[in-house]
Amino acid sequence: MKRFLYLALLTTAPAWGQSVDSTAVTPFPQKSNFRSGFMFELGYGFAITRFANMNAFFRDNQAEFNKKMDRFFVAGMGYRRQRFKVTLHTLLMISQNLLPPNQTGSTLVARPKDMSGLDIFLGYDIANGRNRRFFLNAGVGSFRYEYSLFRATNQPVAFQDILRYTPPGTVSSLYLTTDYWNVNLEMAQREKRKETLQLVGRVGYRRSFRPRAWQSDAYQLTNAPLDRISQFYFQLGIYLSRNKQKSPQ
């Protein structure tokens, strides 16, 4: 029995002396853990925008108003530290009216001519995965939305007379400026290198704090309807981020 035990020890001793293979491939890569980072963003978005009182005014006057989703361009920048993030975004409308309207005759058209806004957010990384981060962002902002009203007709007008020609129903400027609160859920690719590109997407909602009166650049309006912006939106963009590792102890 002792001889058998000695023989077993001698045969297994070389195996004990072997070093662990440091090149063995692990089934999953280690999750990157950059402490902080600066981000610059470019993106594109869609929004469903509603103004209850102004839309009712358009319907009462048989005006064709925008029922499509607004499209907008987004640019922003931000700073992340650990799981917290602060971001600043600006948005600008992309015109949907590159071609003349199809309506002719006496149809009254309410055309969106401007949408712009500025947001500031504070976000927290509520789900921190190996390849993705999910942020819940909340913030405030300022917003302007503008319409022009005109009648689409086939009536010829000499250009030199255009400044003296004002068809009934024509309003060159109707706009609303308001401040609002804003929340969104953001999904972003996790940063993998010190400088990297990341895809980012958001779904969110913005709402005015209080009703504001519609105004005009062309007139001093009285008794104008009060409205609050109500807007659901979706954004897709790209982050260019510069990230910093945790400082060595």
Side-chain angles (χ1 to χ4, degrees):
M1 183 67 182
K2 290 183 179 180
R3 291 179 181 177
F4 179 78
L5 180 59
Y6 291 150
L7 181 61
L9 291 173
L10 289 173
T11 56
T12 56
W16 291 348
Q18 291 180 358
S19 61
V20 178
D21 185 4
S22 61
T23 62
V25 178
T26 58
F28 297 102
Q30 186 177 3
K31 183 169 70 173
S32 59
N33 192 24
F34 290 93
R35 181 189 63 174
S36 61
F38 286 96
M39 297 155 288
F40 300 91
E41 179 185 354
L42 293 175
Y44 183 84
F46 296 89
I48 301 173
T49 308
R50 292 291 178 266
F51 301 104
N53 292 327
M54 185 55 70
N55 290 353
F57 172 80
F58 292 152
R59 283 191 293 267
D60 291 343
N61 290 275
Q62 291 79 48
E64 294 288 339
F65 63 95
N66 181 39
K67 298 177 183 178
K68 301 178 182 178
M69 288 192 293
D70 293 313
R71 300 180 297 174
F72 57 93
F73 170 79
V74 181
M77 59 186 300
Y79 174 72
R80 178 188 61 81
R81 187 173 181 88
Q82 302 293 5
R83 302 182 72 170
F84 287 94
K85 183 174 66 170
V86 176
T87 52
L88 180 69
H89 290 139
T90 184
L91 62 94
L92 296 171
M93 174 180 280
I94 299 173
S95 175
Q96 301 182 39
N97 303 290
L98 300 179
L99 297 175
N102 293 326
Q103 300 92 339
T104 58
S106 59
T107 302
L108 184 62
V109 179
R111 171 176 290 180
K113 59 184 295 187
D114 177 64
M115 180 180 74
S116 57
L118 183 69
D119 294 315
I120 184 169
F121 289 104
L122 177 63
Y124 181 73
D125 184 356
I126 58 175
N128 191 320
R130 189 179 305 275
N131 296 313
R132 294 179 180 85
R133 292 180 181 267
F134 287 86
F135 287 91
L136 180 62
N137 300 311
V140 295
S142 179
F143 189 85
R144 174 185 167 112
Y145 200 102
E146 185 171 3
Y147 283 101
S148 65
L149 274 71
F150 61 93
R151 293 192 181 277
T153 71
N154 290 325
Q155 181 174 350
V157 178
F159 183 79
Q160 58 268 26
D161 297 330
I162 197 169
L163 296 178
R164 295 191 296 272
Y165 185 79
T166 55
T170 298
V171 181
S172 58
S173 170
L174 278 175
Y175 70 88
L176 181 75
T177 57
T178 184
D179 47 4
Y180 56 82
W181 55 266
N182 192 347
V183 294
N184 66 58
L185 180 64
E186 172 185 317
M187 184 192 75
Q189 288 182 311
R190 192 178 187 88
E191 58 283 347
K192 297 294 185 180
R193 294 176 295 276
K194 289 186 177 181
E195 294 183 353
T196 186
L197 287 175
Q198 304 160 246
L199 290 177
V200 58
R202 298 185 192 90
V203 177
Y205 178 71
R206 55 174 57 93
R207 173 81 170 172
S208 298
F209 285 109
R210 55 190 178 276
R212 290 291 185 91
W214 284 85
Q215 303 175 66
S216 174
D217 287 326
Y219 310 102
Q220 293 294 323
L221 299 181
T222 60
N223 301 321
L226 302 176
D227 251 324
R228 301 174 69 171
I229 183 178
S230 176
Q231 188 181 72
F232 289 94
Y233 63 89
F234 168 75
Q235 295 173 212
L236 185 64
I238 296 177
Y239 274 157
L240 172 61
S241 63
R242 186 177 181 88
N243 308 292
K244 185 176 181 181
Q245 292 278 14
K246 186 176 180 180
S247 300
Q249 299 295 331

